[in-house]
Amino acid sequence: MQRALPLLAAACWLLSAAQVAEALSHPTYGSEYVLLGLLSVAGLASCAAWLASWRYAPPPVAGAAALYLILYCVRLWTAQIEPRMAFTDASLLEATLDSLRIVQATVAHSLSIGNLLLAAGELFYEWLMPLAQVGTLAWVIAASRRAA
């Protein structure tokens, strides 16, 4: 289990970097992809340090996970929740749940038309990567408390 989480985190950062590289190849990419690309490189480097069992590896790993979650929340707020609240008379909870339902519906639509790669990419970008970063952050915090 000691090596499984760093390998899982490194795989997630590698997949994120691949998604960023694909997104940057389109002429209409957003600036969030540049930030996500830099964060993916930092996440991969911190996971490499974690796999090498460097003493000072946990803070960069936790920092990369926390920065990813902040970037995810800012993107979720600016692209989905805030516009929904501006154009409808929805509360914050209703707008958040509605945006999560829309994400689920886009994944289901991609699956229904047979576009498995798009569905897998959306599922990873919207659900699995944030959950992996929450798990990584929780693991690093728990491990630092055990060591103290």
Side-chain angles (χ1 to χ4, degrees), residues 29-108:
Y29 69 89
S31 61
E32 72 182 53
Y33 290 111
V34 175
L35 291 173
L36 189 57
L38 294 173
L39 192 55
S40 295
V41 171
L44 278 170
S46 65
C47 285
W50 195 10
L51 282 167
S53 300
W54 287 358
R55 181 177 179 189
Y56 300 107
V61 169
L67 283 174
Y68 179 86
L69 290 172
I70 290 169
L71 182 65
Y72 176 78
C73 290
V74 166
R75 186 190 58 80
L76 188 68
W77 174 260
T78 58
Q80 295 180 10
I81 296 173
E82 195 274 330
R84 213 162 288 4
M85 289 175 61
F87 292 114
T88 63
D89 195 24
S91 69
L92 177 62
L93 179 64
E94 290 170 338
T96 304
L97 292 176
D98 190 36
S99 68
L100 294 176
R101 279 191 292 269
I102 288 171
V103 166
Q104 183 269 335
T106 58
V107 171

Side-chain angles (χ1 to χ4, degrees), residues 129-148:
M129 184 65 171
L131 288 175
Q133 296 311 312
V134 167
T136 300
L137 199 55
W139 180 273
V140 170
I141 289 171
S144 69
R145 288 190 179 182
R146 280 192 304 256

